[in-house]
Amino acid sequence: MSNKREQTRLLLLETVLSLLMAPEGSPMRMIDVARAAGVTRQTVYDHFTNRTDMLIAAILHFGDTLEVDARLAPSRAAPDGRSRLAAYTTAMLEFFPAIYPLKQALERLGPADEEARAAWDDRIRAMKEGCAAAVAALRADGDLLVHLSEERAADLYFTLLNMDGWAHCVLENGWSAADYLAEMQRVIALALVRS
């Protein structure tokens, strides 16, 4: 990709995020992005095949600014399932303060906005894959509770790592991030790990 093309794509991604995160919300059609970025609508279509593609790319770009791979490295390199579970839990809960405003912004677009829902679902799938990988490591070590299948354990883990639960405790009720992390580590271990 040429330098000018990369710069234009970066401008478009930053414009999408700026429109999304505006407190009052902004229209999010491709023409709106073009106008806000000061480019033609064709320029937007040269970079993104459709609105869903554009939103997914913007969310991935947002993740890049959070250094997702670096933050997940301790989980991926963990020597055993218990360590991987604890490291993944820590990484996810450290992401939530940055990710939650994006979740709210996408929700403001409305439940009927299929493209916004598809973009968010793409990221949720990635989170579920991380949950499944941590559970698979637990199972491989023989440390997963015997009554749980990997699939059920991954579903349970994902449910416990609920962003709205985090927002309820930390944002709405004043828990410290450290206290919430400690409680979630304890609850998740009780729910999934053999003693």
Side-chain angles (χ1 to χ4, degrees):
M1 195 181 294
S2 73
N3 194 34
K4 181 167 173 38
R5 183 165 173 79
E6 286 175 22
Q7 289 175 347
T8 301
R9 183 176 175 86
L10 181 60
L11 169 67
L12 293 172
L13 293 172
E14 291 292 335
T15 301
V16 171
L17 290 173
S18 175
L19 291 172
L20 260 178
M21 303 296 264
E24 69 284 351
S26 294
M28 194 50 63
R29 299 171 302 171
M30 293 178 86
I31 188 67
D32 300 314
V33 172
R35 285 184 187 134
V39 299
T40 66
R41 187 168 75 173
Q42 185 57 49
T43 299
V44 178
Y45 279 101
D46 287 345
H47 288 270
F48 310 108
T49 55
N50 55 44
R51 187 169 175 264
T52 301
D53 181 43
M54 179 181 73
L55 289 169
I56 289 172
I59 292 169
L60 289 172
H61 172 68
F62 181 80
D64 290 344
T65 67
L66 300 177
E67 300 177 334
V68 171
D69 286 335
R71 290 186 190 210
L72 290 175
S75 173
R76 292 172 176 156
D80 57 63
R82 290 173 189 247
S83 300
R84 184 164 191 165
L85 185 74
Y88 190 74
T89 299
T90 298
M92 287 298 99
L93 294 183
E94 287 176 351
F95 281 133
F96 284 1
I99 296 170
Y100 191 70
L102 180 63
K103 177 183 185 285
Q104 290 180 304
L106 289 167
E107 287 176 349
R108 274 196 304 271
L109 294 177
D113 192 321
E114 293 179 20
E115 291 96 346
R117 195 169 60 251
W120 183 248
D121 287 349
D122 178 73
R123 294 297 76 213
I124 292 300
R125 268 191 302 281
M127 184 178 168
K128 286 180 179 178
E129 289 169 7
C131 290
V135 166
L138 268 182
R139 169 71 80 199
D141 291 346
D143 287 336
L144 184 64
L145 287 173
V146 293
H147 74 279
L148 289 172
S149 68
E150 276 189 46
E151 183 178 287
R152 282 196 172 202
D155 288 343
L156 179 58
Y157 183 29
F158 175 77
T159 300
L160 291 170
L161 282 180
N162 182 293
M163 199 178 303
D164 290 326
W166 167 84
H168 174 77
C169 291
V170 176
L171 299 181
E172 296 170 21
N173 290 297
W175 291 38
S176 72
D179 286 347
Y180 188 77
L181 174 59
E183 285 303 318
M184 290 311 298
Q185 293 284 21
R186 187 181 66 77
V187 167
I188 287 167
L190 287 171
L192 300 175
V193 181
R194 293 174 72 173
S195 51

